[in-house]
Amino acid sequence: MLTSNGYVLDESDSRLAELEPVPPTERADRDALWSRLRRDGYLYLKGQLNPDQLLDFRTFYFASLGEANVYQTGTDPREGIAAPGEVDRAALRRGLFDRIVPGPEYQALCTAQGIAGWFAWFLEDDVHLHRRKIIRHTKPGEGGIGTATQAHYDLVYLREGSDRVLSMWIPLGDCPRERGGLAYLEGSHHWVMAEEREGTLKKPAASITADLPGLAEERDARWLVTDYEVGDVVVHSAHIVHAALDNVDRGGTMRLSTDIRYQRLSEPIDWRWQEHWNDDDGL
C-alpha cells in the first residue's frame, strides 16, 4: 500500500502507473530528449551517475549527523538505518546547515560528472547551478501531514527568475517505492502552464495539496512511481506537479535525496536562490 502524508494512493490502472525511463537509443539525442521533456515534463535517466560517489556521500552525510541520533549506533552510516528515539534537533541543524550544505563535499556532488557537464550539453550554453540546494532524509514510520513533500510544482518557489529552470532529483542510495521516492502527476505540466498563462494559479509559494489521491481524481490523472536505484536521476521542468511517498521501509532504512537546479547562465536568475539553503530562508 502506497501512501503520502498518510493518504492512501489509488493503485488502479487509471490512477497509478510506472515512470518511464529514457531509452538508451535517446540518451545521446538532444532533440529526442527535448521532445520527451516537452511531452512528459520529466526525463528519467537510469544509471546517470556513479553509484560509488553517491554512496560515499551518503556515508559522509549520515556520519556528519552522528551527534543528532539520526542513524542507529553501531551500524554503518552508509546503510542509513534510522536510530530509535528522538532526534537532537539542534545537533541536526548544526550538522546539516553548518557542515553538510555549505561544504565542499556537497558542492562536488552537485557538479559531478553526469550533472554539470550534462546540463551544459543539454542546454547548449554556459550553465548556472543555484546555490540553494536541498538535501533531506526521511525516516521510516514518520506519517501525517507535512512528513512527505506535498504536491507542488517548482515554479511557485522560483518566480524571480527564468521559468525554464530544470531540477534534478537524485536519490542517494537505492529508493524503492516503499522508501518514499518521488511521484509525478502525469501530464500535469500542460495544465499548469496553461493556468499560469491565464493567471489562475496561486502566486504565493505554497504546495497544492497533501491529498495525492484527491488531486489525481480531480485531474483524472495518474501518479507515476518507480523503484529508483542508486545512480538514477530525474530531470524535470519547473511546471510538473510532483510529491514524495511516505517511507514505510520495514528494514528501517532512511531515504536520502537531494534536489538541485540548473539553468542557462544567460537567463534571469532568482536572486533568492543564490544563498545556501537554511531553515530560516523563507522558501
Side-chain angles (χ1 to χ4, degrees), residues 183-199:
Y184 291 84
L185 190 61
E186 188 175 29
S188 55
H189 59 301
H190 296 300
W191 58 259
V192 166
M193 287 189 289
E195 294 186 21
E196 280 281 337
R197 288 192 295 269
E198 295 165 3

Side-chain angles (χ1 to χ4, degrees), residues 170-246:
I170 308 170
L172 299 167
D174 289 339
C175 191
R177 62 199 73 194
E178 64 268 17
R179 203 165 287 167
L182 280 197
Y184 291 84
L185 190 61
E186 188 175 29
S188 55
H189 59 301
H190 296 300
W191 58 259
V192 166
M193 287 189 289
E195 294 186 21
E196 280 281 337
R197 288 192 295 269
E198 295 165 3
T200 57
L201 287 170
K202 291 188 295 185
K203 292 298 183 183
S207 299
I208 298 171
T209 183
D211 183 358
L212 270 58
L215 183 60
E217 191 68 25
E218 175 189 343
R219 293 291 178 172
D220 189 21
R222 303 185 297 182
W223 285 103
L224 305 178
V225 301
T226 195
D227 296 317
Y228 300 99
E229 297 177 300
V230 61
D232 297 349
V233 304
V234 184
V235 175
H236 64 254
S237 82
H239 298 94
I240 191 167
V241 176
H242 54 287
L245 302 177
D246 292 331

